Each structure stands twice: as structure tokens, then as C-alpha cells.
Amino acid sequence: MIGELNQGRLYDYMDNPKNKWTRELYDEANLINEDTLFERLVQLRRNKGTASYAARKKEINTRAAEDELKAYQKILAGQSASKVLGREEELCMQPKVLIDPENPGRVLTSEIDIKAETRRAFNARFTHDPIPRTDDEKHWMKSKKALEFQAGSKIDPLIWPPTNGIELHHLQDFLARGNNRPSPGPDEWEKWPIKYLPDEMTEIVRMLVDFIVRNNYFEDGLNDLLFLTLWKNKGTMIDLNYFRGIGLGNLLHQMAVTIFTTTFKKYAWRRGFLPPTQGAANAGLQGRDLTSYIAQIDAWAHANNQTLYWIKRDQKKGYDRVTPEAFDDACTFFGLPDSVKSFVRASKTGLQAFAVTAFGVDTLPIIMEMVMRQGGPFSPNEFTLVFAMASHWVHEEMET
């Protein structure tokens, strides 16, 4: 309309049946002359441009946030984090502003303050004061079930490390399992190139893993992690209380611990360490098995007009609150050899994580000494073994 008005053809333009909206706009505005019409049209165009720009900006920011969230979700699913780590200046999910915990009315914006607050927040989260217990208080260690497991372990012991050490089939089994491209840790080793190495180089990797397993050698940074913070989709994005962490470990560490986990799972399943109602880490048992069982009971209740009451356990596990002493007690309870305790302890000794912030990777670590971290290769088995010990003892106490 502005163009037609400038060329003196506005009224012919409005008389065209295709442009009825222009006549309606002209009549509704109740304009006095063409000058006021021009001002009105310019204002409308300006408002439309402002609204269009705001809408495009909102859509671009929304898509960018969704893409960033998808990138972290892929990391949680086991895919590579190289794209995220390769563009640290664009990490919108890493906060550049944080609330000062000592003064909530103040915010932290400098690189030094952001890194220091990230270390402080997660160090506090992974630091717990365990409740000390004497041997006399641990009644489960003298139960009949414990004696049964210990007697069975003498007849059928867990052999660790393997008698012939780590062989090529152990390494091939690890490379064939899980995601082919997991996120690299501080060592920047990728899984997929090792899978396609020639035999001579694969033998070198096998020898390295064998040395770690035989000597419980997890020094020289093998236990180090890259630590990425991820918002929980609730709360404010400038408060680290609403963030969780993703740890990316070294590949050699993952190999050694995963091979041990595979060996342990087969042994625990054969010996019946875990209760039959335990779903996680129980070989051959999946979540749909429990769902199917509950569905059958629910169908029976409806058919017989019976009222059912279900008690659902909270899913908050608190892996990091299980003390190393609890796992040592579980090893004794089930009659596992000292080599298992030594290996698991060594794999968590000196554990430290380096936070990836919006300003790059922090050079000072978050201390996670002896912490059972959720998502570790052996953590689900370690966690369930401790509570299997408690479950066996509780059932024995209920029967007496």
C-alpha cells in the first residue's frame, strides 16, 4: 500500500477485489487525508517488522537450546561428546552467571569465580560423613545366609584376576558391546579406532589392560574424569543446585573395569547373590518382566473384585552415599576374595574430575575419592550387591 500511495494509485489499488483488506483498513482507520494514511501504514509496517524480528529471534534461541539439550542427551545415551567439547565458546548449557551462595543477592560472572563455585558445589555434593559402625553392630555379617554364601564360595570361588590374564577375547568382547562411539575422556581415546586396529597394535592395548588388572594400576591419571554440568530442566539456570554432572572417563579405565564387571556378573548370577525380585544388574531380567507380572495380578484383582495396595520404592538411589566399607562387608558376606576388594578400591582411589565450564576445562579437580558414581561400569553391581546383602539378612530375620 505504501508503494501504491507514493505512486498515486492507491484508490485504484483499493478498488481491486483482491485487495479488500486495504479498503477495510482505510475505513477502520477513519483517516482524514493521505498524509495520515502514510503515517499509519509506516507505523503498521514498523510494528510488524518488530514483531517479526522478535518471533524469529525467539525461534532461533529455542531451536539452539533444543539442539544443545539434544547434544547432552546423546552424551547420556553414550554417543560422542566431541561436538560439545569442540565448541566451548558456544556452550549455552554451561552457565556463565551463577548465584553467589554466600550472598544470594550477588552473582558470579568471572572465569575464576565460576570455576571455583563449580568445584565447591560438587565437592560438597560428593562429601558425606558416614555413620561409623562396630563389628558387633553388623548382625548381618554373622547370619546363617552369610555362612552359606561363604561356604559356597570356598567350593566355587571367583577367580580374579583371570588365571591367564586378560586375553584377546576379553578385549574383543568389550569392543563388541555397547555403543561403538562413546564420548572420549581426558585421554581422548576413542573406542571405534581400537576396534579396527591391526593385530599387532591390538596386542599392545591388551597388554596395557592386562598390566592394569594384574597390578591394580590406576595411577597416572587413569581415574580422571571430564565433568560436564547439565541443567535438570527445573529451577533457575544460575544455581548449581539444579545441575547434575556427566563424567567422561578414560578408555583404558573403562576397559579394565568393564571386563571385571562382565566376569563378576556371570559369577554372581551363577551363585544367586541377587534376590529374584531384584531387577537391575540381574542377568536375564528386564523391566517388562515386572510390568507383566503386575499386569497379571491387576487383571486377577479386577476379575475377583479384590482391592490391591501397592508400595512403590522411591527411585532416588544415592549411589554416592554407599560407603566403601559397605562394599567390603558385602564381599565378606558373599565370600568374595580380597583381590575383588583391592581391584574395586584401586579403581576409585584418587578419583578426580575436571569440570568443563563455559570458560573451558578447569585445571583444578573436583575430588571424588572412593565415590561410587552412578553410571560407572561396576557401580550398578556394587550398589545391588550391598542391598542384596541387606535383603538376604532382612528375609532371614523375618523368617525367625
Side-chain angles (χ1 to χ4, degrees):
M1 286 184 70
I2 294 177
E4 298 295 333
L5 179 61
N6 290 334
Q7 296 181 20
R9 299 180 304 186
L10 177 63
Y11 296 102
D12 294 336
Y13 183 76
M14 289 191 299
D15 291 337
N16 190 330
K18 296 182 180 180
N19 302 319
K20 290 182 179 181
W21 63 274
T22 58
R23 173 63 66 179
E24 294 174 358
L25 177 64
Y26 186 81
D27 294 339
E28 289 178 5
N30 193 21
L31 301 174
I32 301 174
N33 52 49
E34 292 184 353
D35 291 337
T36 56
L37 174 62
F38 181 80
E39 294 176 1
R40 173 65 172 167
L41 291 176
V42 169
Q43 183 62 39
L44 288 174
R45 185 173 65 178
R46 184 180 296 116
N47 293 342
K48 182 179 180 180
T50 302
S52 177
Y53 174 80
R56 285 199 304 270
K57 182 179 179 180
K58 181 180 179 180
E59 181 65 20
I60 291 172
N61 291 338
T62 301
R63 291 186 180 184
E66 290 176 352
D67 291 342
E68 201 70 38
L69 182 60
K70 288 179 181 177
Y72 279 90
Q73 288 173 340
K74 289 180 179 179
I75 295 174
L76 288 173
Q79 297 187 25
S80 176
S82 57
K83 293 183 179 179
V84 174
L85 296 177
R87 48 188 175 89
E88 295 168 359
E89 70 280 358
E90 300 177 10
L91 290 179
C92 66
M93 296 299 293
Q94 309 296 332
K96 292 186 178 180
V97 179
L98 291 175
I99 294 176
D100 186 351
E102 298 180 357
N103 183 5
R106 178 174 174 267
V107 294
L108 308 174
T109 57
S110 70
E111 176 180 351
I112 296 177
D113 290 341
I114 294 294
K115 290 182 177 180
E117 173 57 17
T118 303
R119 289 196 307 273
R120 185 209 64 79
F122 284 98
N123 273 325
R125 193 173 300 182
F126 292 125
T127 302
H128 307 296
D129 295 325
I131 301 175
R133 296 185 183 276
T134 63
D135 292 340
D136 294 335
E137 294 178 305
K138 300 177 182 178
H139 306 292
W140 51 89
M141 302 301 293
K142 301 176 184 178
S143 62
K144 294 180 181 179
K145 202 65 178 178
L147 297 177
E148 291 178 8
F149 280 120
Q150 292 165 10
S153 296
K154 292 180 180 179
I155 300 173
D156 181 15
L158 172 62
I159 307 300
W160 184 261
T163 305
N164 298 324
I166 300 301
E167 300 182 75
L168 186 59
H169 70 85
H170 291 112
L171 197 61
Q172 292 172 338
D173 183 62
F174 168 81
L175 295 174
R177 291 174 179 268
N179 184 13
N180 193 34
R181 295 174 180 266
S183 304
D187 60 0
E188 298 184 357
W189 278 36
E190 295 272 9
K191 181 180 176 181
W192 64 269
I194 295 178
K195 188 175 182 179
Y196 299 105
L197 286 177
D199 294 342
E200 296 80 3
M201 299 186 70
T202 304
E203 176 63 16
I204 295 175
V205 177
R206 186 203 65 80
M207 292 172 63
L208 289 172
V209 179
D210 184 64
F211 180 83
I212 294 172
V213 168
R214 287 184 180 274
N215 299 279
N216 293 335
Y217 187 88
F218 288 94
E219 302 177 18
D220 296 330
L222 274 179
N223 284 346
D224 290 353
L225 300 170
L226 281 180
F227 192 82
L228 287 78
T229 56
L230 180 63
W231 185 50
K232 296 180 179 179
N233 290 332
K234 63 179 181 179
T236 174
M237 294 188 69
I238 60 174
D239 188 348
L240 286 177
N241 290 322
Y242 298 102
F243 281 77
R244 53 177 170 160
I246 305 173
L248 308 178
N250 292 314
L251 186 61
L252 279 175
H253 179 281
Q254 300 291 327
M255 285 182 176
V257 178
T258 301
I259 291 172
F260 166 73
T261 302
T262 303
T263 304
F264 178 84
K265 285 178 66 175
K266 293 177 181 178
Y267 179 77
W269 176 76
R270 187 175 75 245
R271 292 290 315 283
F273 286 171
L274 302 183
T277 55
Q278 172 64 49
N282 211 342
L285 186 62
Q286 300 184 10
R288 61 173 176 263
D289 298 330
L290 181 59
T291 304
S292 175
Y293 174 68
I294 294 175
Q296 294 177 45
I297 296 179
D298 185 63
W300 171 86
H302 278 87
N304 294 274
N305 196 25
Q306 294 287 332
T307 302
L308 293 178
Y309 296 93
W310 297 93
I311 300 177
K312 181 180 180 297
R313 185 174 62 181
D314 186 5
Q315 290 298 307
K316 185 177 180 181
K317 299 178 176 64
Y319 274 55
D320 56 294
R321 293 185 177 272
V322 179
T323 63
E325 183 187 7
F327 179 70
D328 290 345
D329 288 348
C331 288
T332 304
F333 184 92
F334 291 104
L336 297 174
D338 292 337
S339 59
V340 171
K341 299 180 187 179
S342 302
F343 180 84
V344 174
R345 278 187 169 271
S347 67
K348 297 190 292 184
T349 300
L351 186 62
Q352 53 186 6
F354 295 89
V356 179
T357 69
F359 301 96
V361 180
D362 194 359
T363 56
L364 298 177
I366 299 169
I367 305 301
M368 300 174 63
E369 179 80 15
M370 300 306 295
V371 171
M372 183 196 298
R373 54 191 178 92
Q374 187 168 349
F378 186 62
S379 295
N381 297 273
E382 185 177 356
F383 185 86
T384 53
L385 192 71
V386 170
F387 282 89
M389 172 183 65
S391 178
H392 287 303
W393 176 65
V394 168
H395 279 81
E396 181 178 315
E397 290 294 308
M398 294 176 62
E399 292 174 357
T400 57

